[in-house]
Amino acid sequence: MSIARVVSKGVKLSQHRYWLSYDLGLHGSYDEMYQWLDERDAKECGDSVATFVSSQNRDSIKNELKKLLRVTDRVYLIDMKNGGTFVSGKRKPAPWAGYAQTEMVEVET
């Protein structure tokens, strides 16, 4: 989603909507993350998920976030054009893995 914003002298800046999912753990960079989100007028979207609009590209946002995060912080940035990418951390096993009931079919040989 691209949002055009008019600034002084009629110049238009193209803005894009982003979503940020963060898992900062017990000793994470909460103050830094909350300040960063507040500066962008981000909206809360559930536990540890926020959305905001920005004229910055995804790489620029990733670089800003990397400067304030700890090594153990997990942060995932999503935009509609490029999908999602980890800014910090990596994917871990899903807590729901193994809950699906699958039927075993016996094959006669």
Side-chain angles (χ1 to χ4, degrees), residues 80-97:
M80 292 180 74
K81 181 179 178 184
N82 300 304
T85 183
F86 275 97
V87 174
S88 177
K90 60 184 179 180
R91 197 170 310 280
K92 63 183 187 179
W96 55 85

Side-chain angles (χ1 to χ4, degrees), residues 34-47:
Y34 291 168
Q35 179 181 348
W36 191 90
L37 290 168
D38 195 27
E39 288 170 352
R40 281 144 193 84
D41 196 29
K43 305 298 181 219
E44 184 270 347
C45 296
D47 290 344

Side-chain angles (χ1 to χ4, degrees), residues 2-5 7 12-18 40 52-58 60-61 64:
S2 183
I3 302 166
R5 186 174 127 206
V7 293
K12 286 187 179 180
L13 294 178
S14 180
Q15 294 200 325
H16 302 279
R17 177 159 303 280
Y18 294 93
R40 281 144 193 84
F52 61 95
V53 292
S54 177
S55 58
Q56 292 177 276
N57 65 35
R58 185 163 82 163
S60 177
I61 293 169
E64 271 188 16

